[in-house]
C-alpha cells in the first residue's frame, strides 16, 4: 500500500488533477493547486471553502481550513467529490 503523498512528493502525480473542476451547472468551481491547496467557489461566493488535499492514486482526502474533512475520487476523468460530480475545465 502506498503512503499518501506530501505536496512536494506528489507534484508529478498531482499534475493530472491540478486545475479547475466544475459542476455541470457551473455553480461549484473547485481549483486544485499543485501545492496541495484547494479553493472552492459556490455561486457568487468566492473561496467558500479552502484548505489542503492529498492524493493517493485516484483518491483525494480534503481538510478545509476549519478542520472539516471530505473525500473524492477521480473515475474516468470525472471528480466525484462527496455528492458532487465535477468535470475538469478546459484551458483556453
Amino acid at each position: 500500500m502506498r503512503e499518501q503523498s506530501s505536496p512536494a512528493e506528489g507534484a508529478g502525480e498531482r499534475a493530472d488533477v491540478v486545475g479547475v473542476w466544475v459542476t455541470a451547472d457551473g455553480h461549484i468551481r473547485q481549483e486544485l493547486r499543485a501545492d496541495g491547496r484547494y479553493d472552492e467557489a459556490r455561486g457568487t461566493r468566492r473561496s467558500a471553502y479552502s484548505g489542503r488535499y492529498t492524493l493517493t492514486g485516484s483518491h483525494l482526502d480534503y481538510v478545509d481550513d476549519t478542520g472539516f474533512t471530505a473525500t473524492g475520487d477521480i473515475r474516468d476523468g470525472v471528480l466525484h467529490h462527496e455528492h458532487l460530480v465535477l468535470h475538469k475545465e478546459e484551458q483556453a
Side-chain angles (χ1 to χ4, degrees), residues 3-85:
E3 296 285 323
Q4 287 185 339
S5 58
S6 72
E9 293 170 338
E13 177 182 82
R14 191 172 288 121
D16 289 343
V17 301
V18 168
V20 177
W21 296 78
V22 184
T23 55
D25 63 4
H27 183 73
I28 298 174
R29 299 174 56 81
Q30 188 177 94
E31 178 187 9
L32 298 179
R33 299 183 350 205
D35 65 357
R37 299 280 303 166
Y38 74 90
D39 188 79
E40 184 175 301
R42 290 188 174 233
T44 59
R45 186 173 169 210
R46 295 183 55 123
S47 299
Y49 300 97
S50 59
R52 59 185 164 78
Y53 72 95
T54 56
L55 178 67
T56 305
S58 61
H59 179 80
L60 294 109
D61 288 296
Y62 298 82
V63 179
D64 83 7
D65 292 336
T66 67
F68 179 80
T69 61
T71 62
D73 291 286
I74 297 179
R75 296 189 302 267
D76 297 322
V78 177
L79 173 55
H80 299 267
H81 174 62
E82 298 298 330
H83 65 281
L84 302 172
V85 176

